[in-house]
Amino acid sequence: KNSFGGAMKRIFYGWYIAGACCAMQFVQSTLLLQSFGAYFAVLLHDRGWSKTELSGAAALRQFETAILGPLLGWLIDRFGPQWVIRAGVVLFGVGFMLLSCVDSLLAFYGAFIVIALGASLCGFFPLNVALIQWFARYRARAISMTEIGFALGGLAVPVIAWALATWGWRATAFASGIIIIAVCLPLSFIIRRRPEDIGEWVDGIRPRSRGAVSDPGKEGEETTRDFTGREAMRTPTFWLLSLGHGFALFVVTGISTHAITHMKEGLGYTIEAASFAIMLQTVAQLGGVGLGAWIGDRFDKCILSAFCMLGHMSGLLFLTYATGPAMIVAYAILHGTAWGLRGPLMPAIRADYFGRSAIGMILGLSSMIVVIGPIGGPMIAGILADMTGNYHAGFTTLALLAGLGSVFFLLAKRPALPMQAAA
């Protein structure tokens, strides 16, 4: 009871899980996803590797994620996400420690394979599967909390840039490995598999108070059920959503990998100054996440995603052809807002359309298509930059691909749920 004698409302345990996922995404975003561009610029100068060679590391990480996707989905559906996430945290931290010791491009790739494996096991995919099992009515809101952690990591990019300049990339990488294990491993023990395992209900609401429940029917009648992974793949919607998601990541990963180098070499900014543009992008991303939490469960998620694709396209074009700070600000606001709003919608749409029973496998299978963006974005930009001497051709190509990707979301319609005979 509270101090006035009334009963205090208990906080639904799913929100504790959402908070843990948010904190883990913040750590991963700060130390890898948002700061890889800073490492990229430093290693380009320190080791003398080409943009294409360094872009290969980013592509390798995404390729590994795609290969692991179906297996990871099966493991999560079979055993729950918590054990997978804990193993991932350890590998993620060890990978950064290995990175601090590399002296060759081959060793760099080896360390990055370990980092990529760990990041896949404790990152966006398993964390969102964990949340999907706990939320239905508030799904977009809960996943948006995770995206807040990801976005906040961008605010710390200037700190990483300062650490790289002050302590060097080796010391920064080793310290990052220690921080990952020390912070994320305890957080991973908050995550539980399903609300039913601890006497809770989805959304914290008793089933009979959720609203009208379909009559289970009499013998011989049919009711709907969730999709299996194989059934989902047979629908055009599965492929359209996967392609739309992948085309969005052409821009997201291309910018994350190359934006700082473009601003340094093409626009004349220092790494520290360029990192502040990333920080402004992050502020806009936080605004987009907040907007998504407010409207994501109220409006058609595919329509919202299509608008976001246009934001990605126009933002990247402003960055590509920037002639002053105003265009950099426009890029940061447009791309950041689109990213923040669209990100939580990607797993939420799939859970809405295909159900949560096999969502791990469905997301895992989808990752094998989505990966065209994370692999293609850094590689297209890096190869064309090495060929032409600047990022204009590469970034323009990625922007146009994002614009095309909006069509996929507009065409994706909710599929009819499979039928099963009632008991």
Side-chain angles (χ1 to χ4, degrees):
K1 294 185 176 182
N2 58 29
S3 58
F4 298 98
M8 294 183 67
K9 186 176 181 180
R10 184 173 59 86
I11 298 175
F12 174 47
Y13 189 80
W15 294 116
Y16 290 107
I17 296 177
C21 291
C22 174
M24 293 178 70
Q25 275 289 82
F26 170 74
V27 173
Q28 186 170 151
S29 173
T30 299
L31 301 180
L32 175 64
L33 302 175
Q34 301 270 28
S35 62
F36 181 72
Y39 276 98
F40 188 99
V42 171
L43 289 169
L44 195 67
H45 177 267
D46 184 70
R47 306 304 300 175
W49 298 327
S50 72
K51 295 181 179 72
T52 302
E53 288 171 332
L54 284 171
S55 298
L60 182 65
R61 171 178 170 263
Q62 300 300 334
F63 182 73
E64 183 179 354
T65 299
I67 294 297
L68 286 174
L71 175 60
L72 183 56
W74 179 84
L75 287 172
I76 291 173
D77 287 340
R78 180 69 176 84
F79 301 105
Q82 65 274 27
W83 299 106
V84 172
I85 291 170
R86 291 165 196 168
V89 167
V90 175
L91 284 173
F92 189 34
V94 169
F96 265 98
M97 295 177 189
L98 292 174
L99 176 62
S100 70
C101 305
V102 303
D103 283 311
S104 67
L105 184 63
L106 185 61
F108 173 70
Y109 280 175
F112 222 78
I113 287 174
V114 179
I115 291 174
L117 178 59
S120 297
L121 296 179
C122 67
F124 180 83
F125 176 6
L127 293 178
N128 280 320
V129 172
L131 289 175
I132 285 169
Q133 297 296 341
W134 283 78
F135 293 93
R137 181 179 299 179
Y138 307 115
R139 185 171 286 147
R141 189 176 304 174
I143 295 175
S144 293
M145 283 187 64
T146 304
E147 288 295 310
I148 287 174
F150 184 93
L152 286 173
L155 296 178
V157 170
V159 177
I160 300 300
W162 171 83
L164 290 169
T166 305
W167 297 335
W169 63 271
R170 294 186 186 276
T172 302
F174 190 84
S176 296
I178 294 174
I179 291 170
I180 288 165
I181 295 175
V183 174
C184 293
L185 195 57
L187 288 170
S188 69
F189 282 88
I190 296 174
I191 296 171
R192 305 292 183 88
R193 183 175 184 180
R194 287 186 299 253
E196 296 85 355
D197 294 339
I198 60 171
E200 290 267 17
W201 302 275
V202 175
D203 291 320
I205 303 172
R206 290 179 181 271
R208 61 185 177 186
S209 63
R210 286 174 167 273
V213 179
S214 59
D215 188 341
K218 299 177 182 179
E219 186 174 359
E221 291 185 357
E222 291 185 327
T223 58
T224 58
R225 58 174 174 80
D226 292 342
F227 282 84
T228 65
R230 182 175 298 180
E231 289 168 339
M233 288 188 69
R234 292 173 181 166
T235 66
T237 301
F238 173 89
W239 297 90
L240 290 167
L241 291 176
S242 299
L243 287 171
H245 191 178
F247 275 48
L249 296 185
F250 274 120
V251 171
V252 169
T253 57
I255 287 179
S256 296
T257 304
H258 295 283
I260 290 179
T261 302
H262 168 62
M263 285 185 274
K264 176 177 179 289
E265 296 183 353
L267 304 181
Y269 293 93
T270 65
I271 292 178
E272 291 80 2
S275 69
F276 277 98
I278 302 299
M279 188 171 70
L280 178 59
Q281 170 190 299
T282 300
V283 173
Q285 187 180 358
L286 283 169
V289 171
L291 181 62
W294 178 43
I295 68 175
D297 291 315
R298 290 182 170 90
F299 297 96
D300 188 307
K301 294 180 177 67
C302 282
I303 299 291
L304 293 175
S305 299
F307 278 112
C308 290
M309 298 295 283
L310 300 179
H312 286 309
M313 178 183 71
S314 54
L316 181 52
L317 290 174
F318 273 116
L319 174 64
T320 304
Y321 300 102
T323 56
M327 294 181 73
I328 296 292
V329 171
Y331 132 72
I333 292 175
L334 286 167
H335 173 62
T337 303
W339 189 4
L341 174 56
R342 180 195 52 76
L345 300 180
M346 299 297 93
I349 293 172
R350 294 181 177 96
D352 288 351
Y353 283 8
F354 301 118
R356 66 189 185 107
S357 297
I359 191 61
M361 178 59 75
I362 290 169
L363 289 175
L365 292 168
S366 180
S367 70
M368 300 182 71
I369 306 161
V370 172
V371 76
I372 61 173
I375 290 178
M379 292 303 295
I380 290 171
I383 290 171
L384 290 178
D386 282 334
M387 290 174 60
T388 63
N390 60 58
Y391 282 103
H392 288 183
F395 279 2
T396 301
T397 301
L398 300 183
L400 295 177
L401 287 171
L404 175 62
S406 64
V407 177
F408 296 126
F409 287 112
L410 293 175
L411 294 176
K413 304 301 180 184
R414 182 189 292 269
L417 290 170
M419 309 299 292
Q420 68 177 0

